[in-house]
Structure formats: structure tokens, C-alpha cells
């Protein structure tokens, strides 16, 4: 199972990096569009359409990596006060709810992607961009998240049985900050 988790982490990191490149592209394109519109009186053709499609990549590309790091937002008012088994039980509940929600989302995303390809759906505007790549990215990002959630159910179930704490991987960019906090205590 660790082989699948490592492979999924590398794949999720790759998708996250592509999403980061998409975010940079959207940022530069948006800036060029504003400058072109306000200063030159000529907007960048297709800027809105490209940015809309890129947003799907940015959001759904980051979901799996966020789940791997367990960095999605949660209310920890009760969670932090529970023993390890209680936290594991709540994590299992969250994993199962995520599987249900994103499973339904994947089902509809696949249907929408297939329909979009069949009808050749494209944006309206000066430049027509096909919409099916964004729909395929949505389905792919959701499928990757579902695989990670299935792995997390197994990990969290083992934690429930063993009563062990969750080991969250530390982002190397923040490792020195965590070490500083540990030295202060």
C-alpha cells in the first residue's frame, strides 16, 4: 500500500505543479488583459476563457495533494480534545463523507466530460476554446482524490485499531519552523 501512496503522492505533486503553472499563466494573462484594456484600449482575446478553464486545473489539481498533507480546513474544536482513537473515528467519518461526495461528483464529471466531447462544446467569444479538457481535468483530479481517500480509510482504520496518532508528512518548506517551535518548548 505504501507503493501506491508514494506513487499517488508523486502524481499529485506533479498535478499540483502543473496547476501552479496554470495559476501563473492566469495571473500574467489577467494582468495583460487589464493593462491592455485600461491603457491600450485593447483587451487580450480569449483571456477570460483561458482563465476559466485554468481555474479547474488549479482547484482540482490541488485537492489530492491537500488530502495527502491533511491540510484541508476543518473545525478542530472537538477534534483536538479527543484521544487518538476518537480522532481516528472522526477521520474515518470524514473520509467516508468525502468518498460519497466526491464519488457523486466524479460520476457527474465523467458524464459531463463525455457529453462535452460528443457535442464539441466550446466557449462563446472571439476565440472558441473547447470545454472538454477542463471537464476531463475535473474528473481526473476527483478520481485521484478518491484514490487517496480510499487509502486514508485504511490508514485511519488501522489508527482506530491501534490507537496511534496520525503522522502527517511535514512540508520541507516549513520543517525549520516546526523545529524552532519544538526547541522553544
Amino acid at each position: 500500500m505504501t507503493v501506491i501512496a508514494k506513487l499517488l503522492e508523486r502524481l499529485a505533486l506533479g498535478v499540483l505543479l502543473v496547476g501552479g503553472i496554470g495559476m501563473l499563466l492566469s495571473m500574467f494573462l489577467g494582468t495583460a488583459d487589464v493593462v491592455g484594456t485600461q491603457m491600450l484600449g485593447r483587451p487580450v482575446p480569449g483571456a477570460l476563457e483561458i482563465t476559466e478553464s485554468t481555474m479547474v486545473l488549479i482547484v482540482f489539481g490541488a485537492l489530492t495533494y491537500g488530502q495527502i498533507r491533511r491540510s484541508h480546513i476543518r473545525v478542530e474544536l472537538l477534534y483536538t480534545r479527543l484521544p487518538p482513537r476518537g480522532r481516528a473515528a472522526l477521520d474515518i467519518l470524514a473520509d467516508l463523507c468525502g468518498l460519497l461526495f466526491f464519488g457523486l461528483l466524479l460520476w457527474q464529471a465523467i458524464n459531463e466530460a463525455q457529453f462535452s466531447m460528443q457535442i464539441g462544446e466550446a466557449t462563446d467569444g472571439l476565440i472558441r476554446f473547447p470545454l472538454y479538457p477542463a471537464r476531463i481535468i475535473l474528473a481526473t483530479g476527483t478520481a485521484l482524490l478518491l484514490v487517496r481517500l480510499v487509502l486514508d480509510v485504511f490508514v485511519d482504520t488501522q489508527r482506530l485499531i491501534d490507537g496511534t496518532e496520525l503522522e502527517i508528512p511535514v512540508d520541507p518548506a516549513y520543517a525549520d519552523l516546526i523545529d524552532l517551535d519544538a526547541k522553544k518548548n
Side-chain angles (χ1 to χ4, degrees), residues 58-179:
I58 294 167
V59 172
F60 285 89
L63 281 177
T64 305
Y65 194 75
Q67 181 63 27
I68 289 169
R69 297 284 180 215
R70 302 274 180 140
S71 59
H72 291 295
I73 296 172
R74 66 171 139 198
V75 178
E76 294 187 344
L77 188 64
L78 175 65
Y79 184 84
T80 55
R81 290 172 170 64
L82 291 174
R85 281 195 169 100
R87 287 193 291 267
L90 286 180
D91 286 340
I92 292 169
L93 178 64
D95 295 339
L96 293 174
C97 289
L99 281 169
L100 176 64
F101 176 79
F102 286 104
L104 292 171
L105 183 65
L106 178 62
W107 169 45
Q108 289 304 309
I110 290 171
N111 289 341
E112 287 295 319
Q114 289 174 340
F115 183 68
S116 181
M117 286 190 308
Q118 285 175 352
I119 65 171
E121 187 178 20
T123 60
D124 292 330
L126 293 175
I127 301 174
R128 292 182 50 85
F129 289 100
L131 290 176
Y132 70 87
R135 299 195 191 281
I136 291 171
I137 290 169
L138 190 148
T140 304
T142 304
L144 286 174
L145 178 61
L146 285 171
V147 171
R148 183 61 210 195
L149 285 170
V150 168
L151 289 173
D152 285 348
V153 167
F154 289 116
V155 169
D156 294 336
T157 302
Q158 189 63 45
R159 283 181 36 232
L160 182 65
I161 293 167
D162 296 344
T164 57
E165 287 288 337
L166 175 64
E167 293 181 27
I168 300 173
V170 177
D171 191 336
Y174 302 113
D176 57 339
L177 297 176
I178 292 171
D179 291 339

